[in-house]
Amino acid sequence: MKLQGKIKINDIRKAEIFISSYYNLLRCVPGIEDIEENRFVAKSRIGFLTIETDGEVKSFNKGDNWSETVIEILGAGVKATVRSLVRIQNHELIYDVDYEVDVQIPALKNFVEKHVSQLTKQILECTAQAVS
């Protein structure tokens, strides 16, 4: 699944500093409870269930006005891989997010994909607030 879009930014330097560290991105993950180097623990609410997930930043690359991150999230019967590319151009933060979800119980796949999509949007909203 893909999410693409643009966020207006006022302070380009502030945005460059924000996207230069994956730690800033992790601080925007809803339910985050612990971050240690490139690993984190988060609790997510999916419907009436609360699940604890372990995550890891698998790769992080950056340039002067862009960054690319791959994060893997593991939970009870769920594995998600989120790839994001963000770049700054003409007072806009342009994002391209691609995520894959593997679920052991096929009937839950659509439900979990929708939840991952919502979490991704929340991370983008947090990012927009941080760079504005």
Side-chain angles (χ1 to χ4, degrees):
M1 309 234 13
K2 278 192 170 284
L3 287 173
Q4 297 175 312
K6 299 175 184 180
I7 299 169
K8 291 274 188 202
I9 55 176
N10 297 323
D11 187 338
I12 291 175
R13 183 68 187 134
K14 187 176 180 181
E16 288 172 343
I17 291 168
F18 186 85
I19 69 169
S20 70
S21 170
Y22 68 80
Y23 184 77
N24 293 328
L25 174 69
L26 292 182
R27 289 191 342 227
C28 280
V29 174
I32 199 120
E33 293 195 345
D34 186 34
I35 301 173
E36 261 188 58
E37 294 185 23
N38 66 329
R39 295 180 177 269
F40 63 93
V41 174
K43 286 192 178 174
S44 292
R45 201 148 164 80
I46 302 178
F48 59 89
L49 297 173
T50 299
I51 62 167
E52 185 172 294
T53 56
D54 294 314
E56 180 179 1
V57 176
K58 292 297 206 175
S59 69
F60 178 75
N61 298 299
K62 66 180 176 121
D64 290 338
N65 64 346
W66 63 272
S67 67
E68 184 177 40
T69 311
V70 177
I71 297 175
E72 185 176 87
I73 302 163
L74 301 171
V78 176
K79 176 182 174 183
T81 304
V82 181
R83 293 173 185 84
S84 64
L85 172 63
V86 294
R87 55 194 163 86
I88 300 166
Q89 184 177 356
N90 300 327
H91 286 277
E92 291 181 321
L93 185 73
I94 302 165
Y95 60 86
D96 186 358
V97 180
D98 182 26
Y99 56 92
E100 299 171 13
V101 177
D102 292 321
V103 182
Q104 289 181 352
I105 302 170
L108 294 178
K109 185 169 178 139
N110 287 339
F111 190 67
V112 172
E113 282 180 347
K114 182 178 178 183
H115 183 68
V116 170
S117 176
Q118 289 171 343
L119 287 177
T120 302
K121 288 176 185 174
Q122 289 174 330
I123 293 168
L124 290 167
E125 289 170 6
C126 172
T127 301
Q129 289 178 352
V131 301
S132 294

Tab-separated table of all heavy atoms in Angstrom, residues 70-127:
chain	number	residue	atom	x	y	z
A	70	VAL	N	13.652	2.625	6.479
A	70	VAL	CA	12.929	1.355	6.435
A	70	VAL	C	12.786	0.883	7.877
A	70	VAL	O	13.769	0.738	8.597
A	70	VAL	CB	13.667	0.288	5.602
A	70	VAL	CG1	12.913	-1.044	5.655
A	70	VAL	CG2	13.854	0.746	4.168
A	71	ILE	N	11.531	0.687	8.300
A	71	ILE	CA	11.225	0.250	9.662
A	71	ILE	C	10.455	-1.066	9.586
A	71	ILE	O	9.540	-1.205	8.783
A	71	ILE	CB	10.379	1.301	10.406
A	71	ILE	CG1	11.169	2.604	10.555
A	71	ILE	CG2	9.926	0.776	11.763
A	71	ILE	CD1	10.373	3.739	11.170
A	72	GLU	N	10.835	-2.009	10.447
A	72	GLU	CA	10.123	-3.284	10.551
A	72	GLU	C	9.448	-3.330	11.907
A	72	GLU	O	10.059	-3.004	12.922
A	72	GLU	CB	11.103	-4.439	10.411
A	72	GLU	CG	10.431	-5.800	10.393
A	72	GLU	CD	11.444	-6.898	10.165
A	72	GLU	OE1	12.033	-7.366	11.162
A	72	GLU	OE2	11.656	-7.264	8.999
A	73	ILE	N	8.179	-3.717	11.918
A	73	ILE	CA	7.390	-3.788	13.142
A	73	ILE	C	6.872	-5.211	13.300
A	73	ILE	O	6.285	-5.765	12.363
A	73	ILE	CB	6.214	-2.798	13.086
A	73	ILE	CG1	6.745	-1.380	12.877
A	73	ILE	CG2	5.365	-2.887	14.346
A	73	ILE	CD1	5.706	-0.398	12.410
A	74	LEU	N	7.089	-5.782	14.482
A	74	LEU	CA	6.646	-7.142	14.766
A	74	LEU	C	5.724	-7.133	15.968
A	74	LEU	O	6.037	-6.538	16.997
A	74	LEU	CB	7.851	-8.050	15.061
A	74	LEU	CG	8.895	-8.177	13.955
A	74	LEU	CD1	10.115	-8.919	14.465
A	74	LEU	CD2	8.309	-8.870	12.746
A	75	GLY	N	4.589	-7.799	15.821
A	75	GLY	CA	3.634	-7.945	16.910
A	75	GLY	C	3.088	-9.353	16.892
A	75	GLY	O	3.527	-10.185	16.104
A	76	ALA	N	2.116	-9.620	17.717
A	76	ALA	CA	1.513	-10.949	17.791
A	76	ALA	C	0.884	-11.323	16.456
A	76	ALA	O	-0.181	-10.844	16.107
A	76	ALA	CB	0.473	-10.973	18.900
A	77	GLY	N	1.571	-12.150	15.695
A	77	GLY	CA	1.047	-12.616	14.415
A	77	GLY	C	1.063	-11.584	13.301
A	77	GLY	O	0.436	-11.784	12.262
A	78	VAL	N	1.782	-10.477	13.503
A	78	VAL	CA	1.800	-9.401	12.514
A	78	VAL	C	3.236	-8.956	12.261
A	78	VAL	O	4.026	-8.819	13.198
A	78	VAL	CB	0.985	-8.179	13.014
A	78	VAL	CG1	1.075	-7.028	12.038
A	78	VAL	CG2	-0.458	-8.555	13.265
A	79	LYS	N	3.541	-8.747	10.997
A	79	LYS	CA	4.827	-8.160	10.615
A	79	LYS	C	4.527	-7.080	9.586
A	79	LYS	O	3.832	-7.326	8.603
A	79	LYS	CB	5.755	-9.199	10.007
A	79	LYS	CG	7.068	-8.613	9.513
A	79	LYS	CD	7.936	-9.678	8.865
A	79	LYS	CE	9.176	-9.066	8.254
A	79	LYS	NZ	9.995	-10.056	7.552
A	80	ALA	N	5.032	-5.884	9.836
A	80	ALA	CA	4.835	-4.783	8.894
A	80	ALA	C	6.191	-4.182	8.552
A	80	ALA	O	7.056	-4.041	9.425
A	80	ALA	CB	3.924	-3.719	9.493
A	81	THR	N	6.366	-3.839	7.302
A	81	THR	CA	7.565	-3.148	6.840
A	81	THR	C	7.116	-1.839	6.219
A	81	THR	O	6.271	-1.829	5.320
A	81	THR	CB	8.339	-3.990	5.807
A	81	THR	OG1	8.640	-5.265	6.386
A	81	THR	CG2	9.628	-3.301	5.391
A	82	VAL	N	7.681	-0.741	6.730
A	82	VAL	CA	7.304	0.587	6.256
A	82	VAL	C	8.544	1.256	5.672
A	82	VAL	O	9.561	1.392	6.351
A	82	VAL	CB	6.737	1.452	7.405
A	82	VAL	CG1	6.326	2.826	6.889
A	82	VAL	CG2	5.566	0.757	8.083
A	83	ARG	N	8.452	1.622	4.401
A	83	ARG	CA	9.529	2.337	3.724
A	83	ARG	C	9.058	3.756	3.457
A	83	ARG	O	7.986	3.939	2.879
A	83	ARG	CB	9.864	1.669	2.398
A	83	ARG	CG	10.467	0.307	2.529
A	83	ARG	CD	10.605	-0.377	1.147
A	83	ARG	NE	11.066	-1.723	1.290
A	83	ARG	CZ	10.300	-2.774	1.556
A	83	ARG	NH1	9.009	-2.599	1.695
A	83	ARG	NH2	10.813	-3.974	1.687
A	84	SER	N	9.868	4.734	3.864
A	84	SER	CA	9.466	6.115	3.617
A	84	SER	C	10.621	6.900	3.007
A	84	SER	O	11.778	6.723	3.388
A	84	SER	CB	9.001	6.791	4.914
A	84	SER	OG	10.064	6.870	5.835
A	85	LEU	N	10.272	7.726	2.064
A	85	LEU	CA	11.207	8.662	1.455
A	85	LEU	C	10.586	10.038	1.615
A	85	LEU	O	9.440	10.257	1.202
A	85	LEU	CB	11.415	8.350	-0.030
A	85	LEU	CG	12.231	9.367	-0.822
A	85	LEU	CD1	13.657	9.462	-0.308
A	85	LEU	CD2	12.231	9.010	-2.303
A	86	VAL	N	11.308	10.951	2.253
A	86	VAL	CA	10.835	12.326	2.385
A	86	VAL	C	11.908	13.242	1.819
A	86	VAL	O	13.101	12.998	1.975
A	86	VAL	CB	10.500	12.716	3.845
A	86	VAL	CG1	9.320	11.933	4.363
A	86	VAL	CG2	11.679	12.535	4.769
A	87	ARG	N	11.443	14.279	1.125
A	87	ARG	CA	12.383	15.253	0.586
A	87	ARG	C	11.776	16.639	0.684
A	87	ARG	O	10.555	16.795	0.711
A	87	ARG	CB	12.804	14.914	-0.836
A	87	ARG	CG	11.725	14.735	-1.809
A	87	ARG	CD	12.241	14.069	-3.102
A	87	ARG	NE	11.131	13.555	-3.843
A	87	ARG	CZ	10.418	14.247	-4.703
A	87	ARG	NH1	10.728	15.487	-4.971
A	87	ARG	NH2	9.401	13.709	-5.332
A	88	ILE	N	12.646	17.604	0.747
A	88	ILE	CA	12.226	18.991	0.870
A	88	ILE	C	12.464	19.680	-0.467
A	88	ILE	O	13.549	19.597	-1.029
A	88	ILE	CB	13.015	19.703	1.981
A	88	ILE	CG1	12.771	19.006	3.314
A	88	ILE	CG2	12.655	21.178	2.051
A	88	ILE	CD1	13.728	19.403	4.402
A	89	GLN	N	11.406	20.328	-0.938
A	89	GLN	CA	11.497	21.030	-2.216
A	89	GLN	C	10.491	22.180	-2.222
A	89	GLN	O	9.311	21.973	-1.954
A	89	GLN	CB	11.181	20.052	-3.356
A	89	GLN	CG	11.337	20.624	-4.724
A	89	GLN	CD	11.073	19.564	-5.793
A	89	GLN	OE1	10.845	18.388	-5.507
A	89	GLN	NE2	11.100	19.986	-7.028
A	90	ASN	N	10.958	23.380	-2.499
A	90	ASN	CA	10.083	24.556	-2.626
A	90	ASN	C	9.110	24.730	-1.457
A	90	ASN	O	7.907	24.833	-1.650
A	90	ASN	CB	9.298	24.501	-3.935
A	90	ASN	CG	10.205	24.467	-5.136
A	90	ASN	OD1	11.285	25.045	-5.122
A	90	ASN	ND2	9.781	23.768	-6.169
A	91	HIS	N	9.614	24.746	-0.250
A	91	HIS	CA	8.798	24.911	0.969
A	91	HIS	C	7.729	23.837	1.111
A	91	HIS	O	6.640	24.094	1.645
A	91	HIS	CB	8.179	26.306	1.030
A	91	HIS	CG	9.183	27.360	1.374
A	91	HIS	ND1	9.543	27.637	2.660
A	91	HIS	CD2	9.923	28.171	0.591
A	91	HIS	CE1	10.449	28.588	2.662
A	91	HIS	NE2	10.708	28.934	1.424
A	92	GLU	N	8.047	22.639	0.643
A	92	GLU	CA	7.153	21.489	0.826
A	92	GLU	C	7.977	20.281	1.263
A	92	GLU	O	9.105	20.091	0.805
A	92	GLU	CB	6.419	21.143	-0.469
A	92	GLU	CG	5.403	22.179	-0.885
A	92	GLU	CD	4.685	21.780	-2.158
A	92	GLU	OE1	5.331	21.230	-3.081
A	92	GLU	OE2	3.476	22.036	-2.228
A	93	LEU	N	7.392	19.500	2.143
A	93	LEU	CA	7.942	18.214	2.513
A	93	LEU	C	7.156	17.192	1.694
A	93	LEU	O	5.950	17.043	1.882
A	93	LEU	CB	7.769	17.966	4.011
A	93	LEU	CG	8.412	16.697	4.550
A	93	LEU	CD1	9.923	16.862	4.590
A	93	LEU	CD2	7.894	16.403	5.944
A	94	ILE	N	7.825	16.551	0.768
A	94	ILE	CA	7.167	15.594	-0.126
A	94	ILE	C	7.460	14.188	0.410
A	94	ILE	O	8.614	13.831	0.625
A	94	ILE	CB	7.698	15.749	-1.563
A	94	ILE	CG1	7.448	17.191	-2.040
A	94	ILE	CG2	7.056	14.733	-2.496
A	94	ILE	CD1	8.217	17.579	-3.285
A	95	TYR	N	6.402	13.429	0.640
A	95	TYR	CA	6.593	12.099	1.205
A	95	TYR	C	6.027	11.015	0.285
A	95	TYR	O	5.059	11.214	-0.437
A	95	TYR	CB	5.986	11.982	2.602
A	95	TYR	CG	4.496	12.226	2.674
A	95	TYR	CD1	3.594	11.194	2.453
A	95	TYR	CD2	3.990	13.489	2.965
A	95	TYR	CE1	2.228	11.411	2.522
A	95	TYR	CE2	2.626	13.715	3.037
A	95	TYR	CZ	1.758	12.673	2.816
A	95	TYR	OH	0.406	12.892	2.863
A	96	ASP	N	6.699	9.889	0.344
A	96	ASP	CA	6.302	8.697	-0.401
A	96	ASP	C	6.497	7.527	0.560
A	96	ASP	O	7.630	7.183	0.909
A	96	ASP	CB	7.174	8.540	-1.640
A	96	ASP	CG	6.742	7.409	-2.542
A	96	ASP	OD1	5.778	6.699	-2.203
A	96	ASP	OD2	7.383	7.232	-3.589
A	97	VAL	N	5.401	6.961	1.047
A	97	VAL	CA	5.443	5.890	2.037
A	97	VAL	C	4.832	4.634	1.420
A	97	VAL	O	3.758	4.680	0.834
A	97	VAL	CB	4.672	6.284	3.321
A	97	VAL	CG1	4.731	5.157	4.344
A	97	VAL	CG2	5.209	7.583	3.898
A	98	ASP	N	5.545	3.543	1.572
A	98	ASP	CA	5.077	2.261	1.066
A	98	ASP	C	5.144	1.271	2.223
A	98	ASP	O	6.161	1.206	2.919
A	98	ASP	CB	5.983	1.801	-0.084
A	98	ASP	CG	5.535	0.503	-0.711
A	98	ASP	OD1	4.340	0.179	-0.659
A	98	ASP	OD2	6.404	-0.206	-1.268
A	99	TYR	N	4.063	0.549	2.466
A	99	TYR	CA	4.099	-0.420	3.557
A	99	TYR	C	3.472	-1.741	3.137
A	99	TYR	O	2.576	-1.799	2.312
A	99	TYR	CB	3.445	0.131	4.823
A	99	TYR	CG	2.022	0.593	4.660
A	99	TYR	CD1	0.960	-0.268	4.902
A	99	TYR	CD2	1.743	1.892	4.269
A	99	TYR	CE1	-0.341	0.148	4.750
A	99	TYR	CE2	0.436	2.324	4.118
A	99	TYR	CZ	-0.592	1.445	4.365
A	99	TYR	OH	-1.889	1.866	4.200
A	100	GLU	N	4.043	-2.797	3.711
A	100	GLU	CA	3.557	-4.158	3.492
A	100	GLU	C	3.206	-4.751	4.841
A	100	GLU	O	3.917	-4.526	5.818
A	100	GLU	CB	4.653	-5.011	2.853
A	100	GLU	CG	5.126	-4.523	1.512
A	100	GLU	CD	6.362	-5.274	1.034
A	100	GLU	OE1	6.706	-6.336	1.611
A	100	GLU	OE2	6.990	-4.783	0.103
A	101	VAL	N	2.122	-5.502	4.886
A	101	VAL	CA	1.689	-6.123	6.133
A	101	VAL	C	1.502	-7.615	5.894
A	101	VAL	O	0.833	-8.022	4.944
A	101	VAL	CB	0.355	-5.497	6.631
A	101	VAL	CG1	-0.119	-6.190	7.893
A	101	VAL	CG2	0.520	-4.002	6.866
A	102	ASP	N	2.132	-8.417	6.755
A	102	ASP	CA	1.929	-9.865	6.739
A	102	ASP	C	1.207	-10.237	8.025
A	102	ASP	O	1.651	-9.874	9.117
A	102	ASP	CB	3.271	-10.609	6.678
A	102	ASP	CG	3.976	-10.417	5.353
A	102	ASP	OD1	3.290	-10.416	4.311
A	102	ASP	OD2	5.212	-10.257	5.365
A	103	VAL	N	0.090	-10.956	7.890
A	103	VAL	CA	-0.730	-11.328	9.035
A	103	VAL	C	-0.931	-12.834	9.010
A	103	VAL	O	-1.245	-13.407	7.965
A	103	VAL	CB	-2.107	-10.613	8.978
A	103	VAL	CG1	-2.944	-10.964	10.180
A	103	VAL	CG2	-1.923	-9.117	8.881
A	104	GLN	N	-0.731	-13.472	10.168
A	104	GLN	CA	-0.896	-14.923	10.232
A	104	GLN	C	-2.353	-15.356	10.107
A	104	GLN	O	-2.638	-16.461	9.667
A	104	GLN	CB	-0.303	-15.470	11.533
A	104	GLN	CG	1.203	-15.421	11.549
A	104	GLN	CD	1.780	-15.987	12.834
A	104	GLN	OE1	1.065	-16.281	13.790
A	104	GLN	NE2	3.088	-16.133	12.861
A	105	ILE	N	-3.280	-14.484	10.498
A	105	ILE	CA	-4.699	-14.808	10.379
A	105	ILE	C	-5.252	-13.993	9.210
A	105	ILE	O	-5.465	-12.786	9.327
A	105	ILE	CB	-5.462	-14.476	11.681
A	105	ILE	CG1	-4.844	-15.250	12.848
A	105	ILE	CG2	-6.951	-14.783	11.538
A	105	ILE	CD1	-5.356	-14.826	14.212
A	106	PRO	N	-5.455	-14.624	8.049
A	106	PRO	CA	-5.857	-13.891	6.839
A	106	PRO	C	-7.095	-13.013	7.013
A	106	PRO	O	-7.182	-11.945	6.417
A	106	PRO	CB	-6.112	-15.001	5.822
A	106	PRO	CG	-5.275	-16.144	6.283
A	106	PRO	CD	-5.278	-16.049	7.786
A	107	ALA	N	-8.030	-13.422	7.840
A	107	ALA	CA	-9.258	-12.641	8.021
A	107	ALA	C	-8.977	-11.268	8.645
A	107	ALA	O	-9.791	-10.354	8.525
A	107	ALA	CB	-10.248	-13.415	8.893
A	108	LEU	N	-7.840	-11.109	9.307
A	108	LEU	CA	-7.499	-9.846	9.953
A	108	LEU	C	-6.676	-8.914	9.067
A	108	LEU	O	-6.406	-7.786	9.445
A	108	LEU	CB	-6.713	-10.108	11.249
A	108	LEU	CG	-7.467	-10.802	12.364
A	108	LEU	CD1	-6.539	-11.045	13.555
A	108	LEU	CD2	-8.660	-9.960	12.805
A	109	LYS	N	-6.280	-9.376	7.886
A	109	LYS	CA	-5.363	-8.595	7.049
A	109	LYS	C	-5.897	-7.195	6.732
A	109	LYS	O	-5.189	-6.206	6.911
A	109	LYS	CB	-5.033	-9.336	5.761
A	109	LYS	CG	-4.002	-8.590	4.939
A	109	LYS	CD	-3.444	-9.400	3.810
A	109	LYS	CE	-2.478	-8.524	3.055
A	109	LYS	NZ	-1.306	-9.126	2.628
A	110	ASN	N	-7.139	-7.084	6.257
A	110	ASN	CA	-7.691	-5.765	5.915
A	110	ASN	C	-7.774	-4.861	7.138
A	110	ASN	O	-7.494	-3.664	7.062
A	110	ASN	CB	-9.070	-5.893	5.268
A	110	ASN	CG	-8.994	-6.427	3.865
A	110	ASN	OD1	-7.954	-6.359	3.212
A	110	ASN	ND2	-10.093	-6.979	3.396
A	111	PHE	N	-8.158	-5.428	8.251
A	111	PHE	CA	-8.277	-4.679	9.493
A	111	PHE	C	-6.915	-4.112	9.912
A	111	PHE	O	-6.780	-2.944	10.253
A	111	PHE	CB	-8.849	-5.603	10.574
A	111	PHE	CG	-9.241	-4.914	11.828
A	111	PHE	CD1	-10.301	-4.009	11.846
A	111	PHE	CD2	-8.560	-5.167	13.009
A	111	PHE	CE1	-10.677	-3.374	13.024
A	111	PHE	CE2	-8.922	-4.532	14.191
A	111	PHE	CZ	-9.984	-3.634	14.190
A	112	VAL	N	-5.879	-4.964	9.873
A	112	VAL	CA	-4.532	-4.547	10.264
A	112	VAL	C	-3.972	-3.538	9.263
A	112	VAL	O	-3.347	-2.548	9.653
A	112	VAL	CB	-3.601	-5.773	10.422
A	112	VAL	CG1	-2.159	-5.342	10.637
A	112	VAL	CG2	-4.074	-6.645	11.590
A	113	GLU	N	-4.196	-3.747	7.968
A	113	GLU	CA	-3.723	-2.798	6.958
A	113	GLU	C	-4.333	-1.413	7.181
A	113	GLU	O	-3.654	-0.400	7.064
A	113	GLU	CB	-4.041	-3.289	5.549
A	113	GLU	CG	-3.096	-4.353	5.063
A	113	GLU	CD	-3.425	-4.843	3.661
A	113	GLU	OE1	-4.520	-4.547	3.137
A	113	GLU	OE2	-2.567	-5.539	3.083
A	114	LYS	N	-5.608	-1.383	7.507
A	114	LYS	CA	-6.278	-0.106	7.778
A	114	LYS	C	-5.643	0.570	8.989
A	114	LYS	O	-5.414	1.782	8.989
A	114	LYS	CB	-7.772	-0.334	8.006
A	114	LYS	CG	-8.559	0.926	8.238
A	114	LYS	CD	-10.037	0.636	8.412
A	114	LYS	CE	-10.804	1.908	8.701
A	114	LYS	NZ	-12.217	1.658	8.945
A	115	HIS	N	-5.345	-0.207	10.019
A	115	HIS	CA	-4.722	0.337	11.221
A	115	HIS	C	-3.326	0.885	10.918
A	115	HIS	O	-2.969	1.978	11.363
A	115	HIS	CB	-4.652	-0.728	12.314
A	115	HIS	CG	-4.089	-0.229	13.599
A	115	HIS	ND1	-4.749	0.675	14.394
A	115	HIS	CD2	-2.908	-0.483	14.208
A	115	HIS	CE1	-4.004	0.951	15.449
A	115	HIS	NE2	-2.884	0.259	15.360
A	116	VAL	N	-2.530	0.151	10.152
A	116	VAL	CA	-1.189	0.616	9.786
A	116	VAL	C	-1.294	1.901	8.965
A	116	VAL	O	-0.522	2.833	9.151
A	116	VAL	CB	-0.401	-0.489	9.030
A	116	VAL	CG1	0.885	0.055	8.443
A	116	VAL	CG2	-0.107	-1.651	9.966
A	117	SER	N	-2.278	1.982	8.088
A	117	SER	CA	-2.497	3.204	7.310
A	117	SER	C	-2.811	4.383	8.230
A	117	SER	O	-2.275	5.486	8.054
A	117	SER	CB	-3.639	2.988	6.315
A	117	SER	OG	-3.922	4.179	5.627
A	118	GLN	N	-3.671	4.165	9.223
A	118	GLN	CA	-4.016	5.228	10.171
A	118	GLN	C	-2.794	5.664	10.982
A	118	GLN	O	-2.580	6.861	11.193
A	118	GLN	CB	-5.135	4.766	11.110
A	118	GLN	CG	-6.471	4.637	10.438
A	118	GLN	CD	-7.518	3.979	11.324
A	118	GLN	OE1	-7.188	3.334	12.328
A	118	GLN	NE2	-8.775	4.125	10.965
A	119	LEU	N	-1.995	4.712	11.427
A	119	LEU	CA	-0.778	5.045	12.172
A	119	LEU	C	0.183	5.850	11.316
A	119	LEU	O	0.787	6.821	11.781
A	119	LEU	CB	-0.084	3.775	12.674
A	119	LEU	CG	-0.736	3.046	13.836
A	119	LEU	CD1	0.032	1.766	14.151
A	119	LEU	CD2	-0.801	3.923	15.065
A	120	THR	N	0.320	5.466	10.057
A	120	THR	CA	1.203	6.183	9.134
A	120	THR	C	0.733	7.619	8.972
A	120	THR	O	1.537	8.553	8.999
A	120	THR	CB	1.260	5.459	7.770
A	120	THR	OG1	1.716	4.117	7.974
A	120	THR	CG2	2.204	6.168	6.815
A	121	LYS	N	-0.576	7.813	8.852
A	121	LYS	CA	-1.119	9.176	8.733
A	121	LYS	C	-0.866	9.976	10.000
A	121	LYS	O	-0.548	11.166	9.941
A	121	LYS	CB	-2.606	9.120	8.405
A	121	LYS	CG	-2.881	8.658	6.987
A	121	LYS	CD	-4.353	8.508	6.708
A	121	LYS	CE	-4.567	7.933	5.312
A	121	LYS	NZ	-5.967	7.630	5.050
A	122	GLN	N	-0.967	9.344	11.167
A	122	GLN	CA	-0.699	10.038	12.419
A	122	GLN	C	0.775	10.457	12.503
A	122	GLN	O	1.090	11.548	12.986
A	122	GLN	CB	-1.060	9.157	13.616
A	122	GLN	CG	-2.550	8.975	13.796
A	122	GLN	CD	-2.875	7.986	14.903
A	122	GLN	OE1	-2.130	7.053	15.171
A	122	GLN	NE2	-4.016	8.188	15.551
A	123	ILE	N	1.667	9.601	12.042
A	123	ILE	CA	3.096	9.936	12.019
A	123	ILE	C	3.337	11.120	11.097
A	123	ILE	O	4.098	12.032	11.422
A	123	ILE	CB	3.940	8.713	11.600
A	123	ILE	CG1	3.867	7.636	12.692
A	123	ILE	CG2	5.388	9.118	11.332
A	123	ILE	CD1	4.411	6.285	12.266
A	124	LEU	N	2.670	11.138	9.946
A	124	LEU	CA	2.816	12.251	9.002
A	124	LEU	C	2.269	13.546	9.592
A	124	LEU	O	2.854	14.615	9.415
A	124	LEU	CB	2.147	11.922	7.677
A	124	LEU	CG	2.839	10.847	6.845
A	124	LEU	CD1	1.938	10.364	5.707
A	124	LEU	CD2	4.171	11.328	6.325
A	125	GLU	N	1.144	13.470	10.319
A	125	GLU	CA	0.584	14.653	10.967
A	125	GLU	C	1.540	15.205	12.025
A	125	GLU	O	1.752	16.401	12.130
A	125	GLU	CB	-0.768	14.329	11.597
A	125	GLU	CG	-1.867	14.113	10.582
A	125	GLU	CD	-3.144	13.552	11.198
A	125	GLU	OE1	-3.227	13.430	12.454
A	125	GLU	OE2	-4.067	13.216	10.426
A	126	CYS	N	2.132	14.310	12.801
A	126	CYS	CA	3.106	14.715	13.815
A	126	CYS	C	4.314	15.372	13.140
A	126	CYS	O	4.803	16.404	13.601
A	126	CYS	CB	3.540	13.489	14.618
A	126	CYS	SG	4.901	13.780	15.766
A	127	THR	N	4.766	14.790	12.048
A	127	THR	CA	5.888	15.359	11.297
A	127	THR	C	5.545	16.745	10.796
A	127	THR	O	6.355	17.673	10.897
A	127	THR	CB	6.269	14.429	10.115
A	127	THR	OG1	6.627	13.137	10.639
A	127	THR	CG2	7.422	14.995	9.310
